[in-house]
Amino acid sequence: MKISNLLKKSSLICLATFALHQSCIAGNGTFSNEKGYGEWITGTFVIDGQKTARIGSKYTQNNVAIFLDFLSPDLYLIEIIRTKDVPDRGMEPRYYLMDMAIAVDNKNRINFKAKCAEDETLDECFVPQSKNDELVKLFKKGNEVNFKIGDFDLYFSLSGFSKAFSRASRLVK
């Protein structure tokens, strides 16, 4: 999907994305109906009364994890979340944009402007995506995905991604 088309779609879902993002920063969700596929896990995720499907890597690096939360059958968020070892002191989140580059098997690098938020307990960056986009096709064919976000250079195995993605697509319907 072309970036210009993504930007048009993202403006239509801006309010929904902002509401979900606020929920992620504001509280803890519950993950159920879990099933693992290789290095990925999938299930139902409920936060602040909103039910969605979620897949995530079972492996984290430096307290950083990757998730894909499905907002609808045609839209999901790629989220990179880093938890901090600091108790929550009620700080209001700080929002900003950050450059994010995603590459599968160290090629086909795609650049994004990620929407990010930070409070005292976590940092979170996300990019809305259409489920039929080129990135998903690359994830399904690849062995490893690299995320470059600021100073972070993160690698995650894609073993089991295709099956986890397919299951989450069925769960969100």
Side-chain angles (χ1 to χ4, degrees), residues 1-127:
M1 170 178 265
K2 292 183 179 179
I3 297 296
S4 61
N5 289 342
L6 177 63
L7 292 174
K8 288 176 189 174
K9 282 188 174 187
S10 68
S11 66
L12 295 174
I13 57 130
C14 182
L15 185 57
T17 302
F18 180 75
L20 178 64
H21 182 65
Q22 287 285 78
S23 297
C24 291
I25 288 291
N28 294 322
T30 56
F31 192 62
S32 61
N33 193 17
E34 300 170 22
K35 191 166 184 180
Y37 298 95
E39 295 298 318
W40 291 79
I41 192 165
T42 183
T44 304
F45 187 65
V46 178
I47 187 163
D48 295 340
Q50 296 176 338
K51 182 179 175 182
T52 186
R54 170 178 266 192
I55 68 173
S57 175
K58 294 179 185 177
Y59 177 70
T60 62
Q61 301 172 47
N62 303 320
N63 293 336
V64 180
I66 177 176
F67 299 99
L68 281 76
D69 284 332
F70 291 73
L71 300 176
S72 74
D74 297 320
L75 186 71
Y76 65 91
L77 294 176
I78 297 175
E79 298 175 90
I80 304 293
I81 299 175
R82 179 175 63 108
T83 57
K84 300 177 185 178
D85 295 328
V86 176
D88 184 8
R89 295 186 203 125
M91 176 181 132
E92 287 294 317
R94 180 178 72 89
Y95 299 97
Y96 55 96
L97 293 176
M98 182 168 250
D99 291 328
M100 177 189 290
I102 303 173
V104 176
D105 296 335
N106 287 321
K107 53 187 174 187
N108 301 317
R109 184 166 301 275
I110 301 172
N111 297 306
F112 297 96
K113 277 290 189 195
K115 296 165 182 68
C116 302
E118 173 185 16
D119 69 12
E120 292 177 335
T121 60
L122 62 88
D123 294 311
E124 175 183 19
C125 291
F126 66 95
V127 178

